[in-house]
Amino acid sequence: MKRFLNLIPLAVFVILVAVLYSFLTQENEQLESVLIDQSVPEFKLPALENPNNILSKSSVDKLPALINVWATWCIACRIEHPFLMQLKNESTLTVYGLNYKDDRKKALDLLEIEGNPFEFSIFDQQGKLAIDLGVYGAPETFYVDKEGIIKERHVGALTQKVWKEKFEKYLNEDNDA
């Protein structure tokens, strides 16, 4: 009987590992967004570059566009930055930034040093717009079509591969219409 009791923790551990493994191997690793096929939420927040310039939903007017959630404390944001610069230089697509829970000076310094891929960045120091978008952290990227409707969301660094697999088709649809 004592031998059986000693095996219980091992059995619990094996079951726990099996359950966790099943979650890790699920095919859809992306978090679902309730905003797919919805309009960009209303907001009134300052521009990163100028705190006196209050931006709103109507400021995001060059469509189609990407809204990229980023921060200086985000390592993956640094990884995706060169690709965002490439998009700015090679695409007709506008990229708007949402600077998330960050320090304004650090963010401006980073853009000065690394280059600024954004039409402008919304300064969301408290994370209010991010909450409305359903953001879990940075980086996240949203594709907004020419009608202002969110069509796609990606959690994690935006790379050439992710662009081809998830976003490029929407730009092609918007350009064909």
Side-chain angles (χ1 to χ4, degrees):
M1 181 69 168
K2 186 174 182 180
R3 197 176 220 200
F4 176 72
L5 292 175
N6 288 338
L7 291 176
I8 290 176
L10 178 61
V12 170
F13 176 76
V14 168
I15 291 169
L16 182 61
V17 167
V19 169
L20 291 175
Y21 180 77
S22 73
F23 283 122
L24 290 174
T25 58
Q26 288 181 354
E27 192 147 322
N28 184 6
E29 77 254 9
Q30 290 292 312
L31 304 167
E32 294 298 319
S33 175
V34 296
L35 289 181
I36 299 299
D37 294 327
Q38 303 289 320
S39 179
V40 173
E42 295 287 342
F43 66 92
K44 287 199 184 314
L45 290 166
L48 174 67
E49 298 83 355
N50 178 358
N52 296 321
N53 181 13
I54 303 302
L55 301 168
S56 67
K57 176 180 171 177
S58 65
S59 304
V60 180
D61 60 355
K62 292 183 181 176
L63 300 174
L66 293 180
I67 297 176
N68 178 260
V69 181
W70 68 281
T72 58
W73 48 260
C74 167
I75 302 300
C77 297
R78 302 273 178 108
I79 292 168
E80 75 178 358
H81 194 88
F83 181 70
L84 292 173
M85 291 299 295
Q86 180 184 338
L87 274 180
K88 176 185 181 181
N89 295 328
E90 297 176 3
S91 177
T92 58
L93 186 69
T94 304
V95 181
Y96 296 99
L98 177 60
N99 184 244
Y100 176 61
K101 294 187 176 184
D102 208 352
D103 177 271
R104 184 185 302 272
K105 182 175 179 350
K106 287 180 182 176
L108 290 170
D109 289 348
L110 177 77
L111 294 177
E112 175 87 21
I113 294 166
E114 301 290 330
N116 188 348
F118 307 114
E119 181 74 15
F120 58 74
S121 279
I122 304 158
F123 187 58
D124 192 10
Q125 189 171 31
Q126 303 302 317
K128 292 178 182 178
L129 178 55
I131 288 170
D132 290 344
L133 285 168
V135 169
Y136 288 87
E140 290 191 29
T141 306
F142 297 86
Y143 183 92
V144 182
D145 74 5
K146 64 183 181 178
E147 305 298 324
I149 304 300
I150 297 170
K151 290 298 191 181
E152 186 67 69
R153 170 188 184 207
H154 176 72
V155 177
L158 182 60
T159 62
Q160 183 75 37
K161 181 178 186 256
V162 171
W163 170 256
K164 291 273 186 205
E165 290 175 359
K166 294 182 85 171
F167 292 103
E168 191 173 52
K169 63 185 172 193
Y170 294 109
L171 182 60
N172 291 338
E173 287 172 9
D174 279 335
N175 288 336
D176 290 343

